[in-house]
């Protein structure tokens, strides 16, 4: 069952190789071969929440390497189909390909596009092309900003309306709605958090000028699943202690430990300015996470300057928790069992905290019309207790990590 | 390689005759469409929107088929510099984003001006860019990019 997307695409490609001359079909792809290394073994550096493990000192090819295959089919003047599978290091530690896009597009007039099926979730500027390294300036989209996203695509639909106005300007409006199908790894080895059935809803407006692209968006994600069993049983443990200690605060905490119907709201605004050799990106976002999780503020800014085929760049990013989940102390007088529950709660709560900034220096070299080589060094400074984005933190970790990366991005 | 229109007239009266009433500077890229496209003129913005994937139909309502000459690379580079003042690596990255997020398909690529002319001559919605000196009666010039 897992090989389904690959198999489907292979069958499609085999049947159609014979019709290569027919321009209605188009096969293409993208990929990244990457190597990264962290300066410390006290913590692992991961790219996004969907990665169960990260990079320590030894060279790691899983962090950034990925491969995507896409088929475009023109069905008629108005209708077309796009299917895409992506293989990357995912929640279960494998590179099992997932169907990332599969939709029917209907474009009845010049500026209107209606799409239905599986679609990328474009909550932030680059979130629906996070896997397409070649389309981005940096080695990877800033982890402090894109790393916390739980979802990458949805089953649903969107309607986009683009209208040109004035000199070389256009405005694009889009609304989208759909359901989540993905899973996330957890800090419990081998245990996966199901996200299936979560509801997504959103709208965005994008201005495109000659040099300036400006985008604002609002998205909303309501969860539909409850927590994995270990957290659910932790909740039971907390209830038990709350009763034992007659502690209403602790009982409220237990009440709040329900994942189902949590609402995450994503507000974002950002710009991209490209004039001659200069390119500037600046994006900010706030994620309101309801009662249970931390509310997060995040942003990044980047400056690049093209010198022929080479663009050196500087990238700074930050994520901070606006209302941190509390650090609970030990549960006094309850012995080792109490300590274990306290530790479990602690681990659970700090996993939803993120407080860190990163400065990265890098270089993109377009040595070929369809390939680019990039090198980048990231210096991350984190609150070592806010471990949302850091798998396997050791108590001795001081919150610092320097990550060196080299990637080859290509399209075909 | 810029030639003045005057010099062109002196050296290739036959070519100029072929171009009919449209006076063009050779060496300057011009935007061409099919004779049945229902389009007489296009503004630079309209051409930009069609070649950058923001509009999918010609003003006449026909689905547009943008065609670009990928070889030699310098020709393609010059076209995008003239049209949107962007370097090829930026154009390529731009298209990777739009294409792999299912928003639009990049212009069809062919390897010579002759192929551009042929595709435009044979497809109602096709729109292409060729050296003004190469334009013939099979197609219609709707914008002179060199101006």
């Amino acid at each position: 069952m897992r090989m389904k997307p690959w198999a489907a695409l292979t069958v499609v490609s085999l049947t159609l190789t014979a019709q290569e001359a027919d321009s209605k079909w188009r096969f293409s792809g993208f990929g990244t071969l990457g190597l990264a290394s962290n300066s410390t073994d006290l913590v692992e550096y991961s790219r996004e929440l969907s990665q169960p493990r990260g990079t320590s000192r030894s060279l790691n090819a899983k962090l950034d390497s990925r491969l995507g295959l896409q088929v475009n089919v023109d069905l008629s003047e108005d209708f077309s189909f796009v299917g895409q599978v992506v293989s990357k290091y995912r929640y279960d530690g494998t590179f099992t390909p997932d169907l990332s896009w599969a939709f029917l597009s209907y474009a009845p007039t010049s500026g209107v596009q209606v799409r239905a099926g599986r679609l990328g979730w474009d909550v932030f500027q680059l979130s629906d092309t996070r896997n397409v390294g070649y389309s981005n300036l940096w080695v990877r989209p800033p982890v402090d900003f894109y790393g916390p996203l739980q979802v990458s695509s949805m089953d649903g639909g969107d309607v986009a309306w683009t209208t040109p106005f004035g000199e070389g300007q256009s405005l694009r409006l889009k609304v989208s709605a759909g359901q989540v199908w993905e899973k996330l790894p957890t800090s419990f080895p081998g245990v996966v958090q199901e996200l299936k059935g979560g509801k997504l809803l959103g709208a965005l407006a994008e201005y495109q000028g000659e040099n300036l692209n400006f985008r604002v968006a609002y998205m909303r994600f309501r969860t539909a699943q409850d927590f994995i069993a270990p957290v659910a049983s932790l909740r039971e443990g907390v209830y038990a202690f709350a009763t034992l200690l007659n502690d209403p605060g602790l009982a409220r905490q237990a009440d709040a430990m329900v994942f189902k119907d949590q609402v995450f709201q994503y507000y974002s605004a950002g710009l991209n300015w490209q004039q001659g050799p200069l390119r500037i990106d600046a994006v900010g976002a706030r994620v309101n996470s309801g009662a249970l999780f931390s509310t997060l503020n995040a942003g990044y800014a980047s400056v690049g300057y093209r010198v022929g085929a080479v663009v050196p760049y500087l990238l700074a990013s930050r994520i901070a928790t606006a209302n941190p989940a509390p650090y609970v102390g030990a549960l006094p007088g309850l012995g080792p069992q109490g300590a274990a529950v306290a530790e479990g709660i602690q681990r659970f709560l700090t996993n939803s905290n993120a407080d860190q900034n990163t400065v990265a220096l890098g270089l993109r070299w377009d040595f070929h019309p369809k390939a680019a080589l990039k090198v980048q060094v990231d210096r991350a400074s984190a609150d070592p207790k806010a471990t949302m984005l850091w798998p396997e933190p050791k108590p001795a970790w001081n919150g610092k990590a320097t990550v060196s990366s080299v990637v080859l991005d290509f399209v075909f | 390689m810029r030639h003045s229109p005057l010099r062109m007239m002196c050296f290739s009266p036959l070519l100029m005759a072929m171009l009919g009433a449209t006076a063009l500077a050779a060496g300057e890229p011009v935007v061409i469409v099919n004779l049945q496209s229902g389009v007489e003129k296009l503004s630079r913005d309209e051409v930009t929107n069609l070649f950058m994937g923001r509009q999918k139909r010609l003003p006449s309502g026909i689905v547009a088929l943008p065609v670009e000459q990928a070889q030699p690379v310098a020709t393609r580079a010059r076209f995008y510099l003239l049209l949107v003042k962007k370097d090829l690596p930026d154009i390529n990255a731009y298209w990777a984003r739009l294409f792999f997020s299912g928003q639009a398909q990049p212009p069809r690529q062919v390897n010579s001006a002759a192929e551009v002319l042929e595709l435009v001559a044979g497809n109602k919605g096709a729109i292409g860019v060729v050296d003004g000196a190469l334009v013939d009666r099979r197609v219609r010039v709707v914008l002179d990019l060199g101006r």
Side-chain angles (χ1 to χ4, degrees):
Chain A
M1 284 302 282
R2 277 186 171 169
M3 291 305 288
K4 231 177 169 176
W6 272 149
L9 206 77
T10 312
V11 170
V12 169
S13 5
L14 287 176
T15 3
L16 296 158
T17 323
Q19 309 177 22
E20 213 171 316
D22 191 339
S23 59
K24 284 182 158 68
W25 294 80
R26 180 164 178 168
F27 295 92
S28 43
F30 56 87
T32 298
L33 289 171
L35 280 176
S37 166
N38 190 348
S39 60
T40 175
D41 276 331
L42 295 173
V43 75
E44 294 180 359
Y45 179 82
S46 76
R47 172 170 166 149
E48 52 210 6
L49 287 183
S50 61
Q51 300 189 327
R53 296 293 297 266
T55 301
S56 46
R57 288 179 88 138
S58 48
L59 277 180
N60 186 328
K62 293 177 178 176
L63 188 74
D64 297 309
S65 298
R66 51 205 60 212
L67 181 70
L69 296 178
Q70 181 167 310
V71 58
N72 288 54
V73 190
D74 291 333
L75 300 167
S76 73
E77 272 205 348
D78 301 338
F79 283 94
S80 58
F81 172 82
V82 177
Q84 188 188 97
V85 288
V86 173
S87 166
K88 60 173 183 173
Y89 179 60
R90 63 171 205 175
Y91 66 89
D92 59 359
T94 70
F95 275 77
T96 310
D98 278 309
L99 188 65
S100 48
W101 299 81
F103 65 86
L104 264 181
S105 164
Y106 173 56
T109 66
S110 199
V112 175
Q113 189 181 23
V114 183
R115 310 189 296 182
R118 180 160 292 180
L119 298 160
W121 191 42
D122 59 351
V123 53
F124 298 150
Q125 226 83 349
L126 310 176
S127 56
D128 67 350
T129 46
R130 270 180 291 169
N131 294 322
V132 191
Y134 182 83
S135 71
N136 295 322
L137 175 60
W138 324 286
V139 156
R140 67 188 74 86
V143 170
D144 296 342
F145 193 84
Y146 295 96
L149 289 175
Q150 311 95 322
V151 172
S152 67
S153 74
M154 63 173 194
D155 293 329
D158 62 19
V159 181
W161 176 69
T162 311
T163 181
F165 67 94
E167 268 185 31
Q169 302 173 93
S170 70
L171 184 68
R172 179 167 170 259
L173 302 171
K174 191 171 127 176
V175 290
S176 61
Q179 286 208 354
V180 182
W181 57 274
E182 286 162 300
K183 297 178 169 101
L184 280 184
T186 66
S187 49
F188 301 90
V191 181
V192 165
Q193 174 70 58
E194 189 57 80
L195 297 175
K196 195 174 181 173
K199 302 267 189 301
L200 300 173
L201 197 66
L204 67 86
E206 190 175 8
Y207 163 84
Q208 179 75 53
E210 199 179 323
N211 301 312
L212 174 70
N213 176 289
F214 180 75
R215 181 189 191 274
V216 287
Y218 167 76
M219 303 275 159
R220 182 187 160 93
F221 167 31
R222 178 187 283 271
T223 58
Q225 303 275 339
D226 199 5
F227 275 123
I228 49 170
V231 178
S233 60
L234 194 62
R235 182 173 61 216
E236 297 315 308
V238 176
Y239 267 128
F241 280 113
T243 315
L244 201 64
L245 297 169
N246 199 16
D247 183 340
L250 203 57
R252 273 199 299 277
Q253 213 160 48
D255 283 337
M257 287 171 68
V258 177
F259 190 46
K260 191 171 186 292
D261 294 327
Q262 291 285 324
V263 176
F264 296 87
Q265 295 184 91
Y266 308 78
Y267 304 85
S268 66
L271 64 85
N272 168 265
W273 176 274
Q274 279 192 54
Q275 188 160 27
L278 182 68
R279 56 166 299 158
I280 295 170
D281 291 271
V283 184
R286 180 180 181 89
V287 183
N288 282 344
S289 310
L292 183 55
F293 298 102
S294 315
T295 287
L296 300 165
N297 291 316
Y300 64 91
S302 157
V303 185
Y305 193 89
R306 177 174 296 289
V307 186
V310 173
V311 183
Y313 58 83
L314 185 69
L315 168 65
S317 55
R318 167 148 184 77
I319 183 164
T321 303
N323 62 335
Y327 297 112
V328 296
L331 299 172
L334 290 169
Q337 221 192 334
V341 172
E343 198 208 313
I345 299 171
Q346 190 65 80
R347 188 153 71 143
F348 168 74
L349 291 173
T350 54
N351 265 341
S352 86
N353 281 348
D355 197 345
Q356 63 192 67
N357 60 67
T358 308
V359 177
L361 197 62
L363 197 131
R364 173 182 171 133
W365 175 33
D366 282 272
F367 67 96
H368 184 272
K370 289 177 182 293
L373 191 69
K374 301 170 188 168
V375 290
Q376 183 174 318
V377 177
D378 288 80
R379 174 66 172 164
S381 308
D383 172 352
K385 285 182 293 181
T387 53
M388 178 203 272
L389 295 164
W390 302 91
E392 308 294 318
K394 306 271 191 303
W397 180 46
N398 64 359
K400 308 270 190 237
T402 303
V403 179
S404 312
S405 321
V406 53
V407 298
L408 172 69
D409 290 316
F410 51 90
V411 290
F412 55 92
Chain B
M1 284 293 284
R2 282 165 181 263
H3 302 282
S4 76
L6 193 67
R7 197 171 153 215
M8 277 302 301
M9 271 202 266
C10 299
F11 286 95
S12 23
L14 189 69
L15 186 66
M16 289 312 287
M18 273 170 64
L19 293 176
T22 322
L24 293 166
E28 296 297 348
V30 296
V31 180
I32 54 171
V33 297
N34 187 278
L35 296 176
Q36 267 92 56
S37 62
V39 175
E40 301 289 333
K41 280 271 169 250
L42 284 178
S43 69
R44 180 175 287 263
D45 289 334
E46 286 170 322
V47 173
T48 301
N49 286 330
L50 289 166
F51 271 91
M52 299 300 278
R54 290 169 205 150
Q55 292 282 296
K56 289 174 180 134
R57 284 167 192 258
L58 299 174
S60 59
I62 295 174
V63 174
L65 173 68
V67 183
E68 67 176 22
Q69 188 182 334
Q71 299 292 334
V73 173
T75 301
R76 183 165 177 252
R78 175 139 188 266
F79 167 58
Y80 283 105
L81 269 180
L82 275 172
L83 190 67
V84 288
K85 301 191 192 86
K86 284 189 171 43
D87 291 311
L88 278 191
D90 293 327
I91 294 293
N92 293 341
Y94 170 88
W95 270 113
R97 177 175 320 292
L98 253 65
F99 182 60
F100 291 117
S101 59
Q103 291 184 52
Q105 292 206 40
R108 169 97 61 95
Q109 292 199 339
V110 296
N111 288 325
S112 68
E115 285 176 81
V116 174
L117 281 165
E118 197 143 313
L119 257 167
V120 173
N123 290 277
K124 254 171 117 175
I127 172 168
V129 178
V130 289
D131 187 314
L134 301 173
V135 170
D136 59 34
R137 283 183 179 164
R138 295 177 296 162
V139 298
R140 179 180 299 138
V141 173
V142 288
L143 177 69
D144 184 351
L145 277 176
R147 274 184 194 166

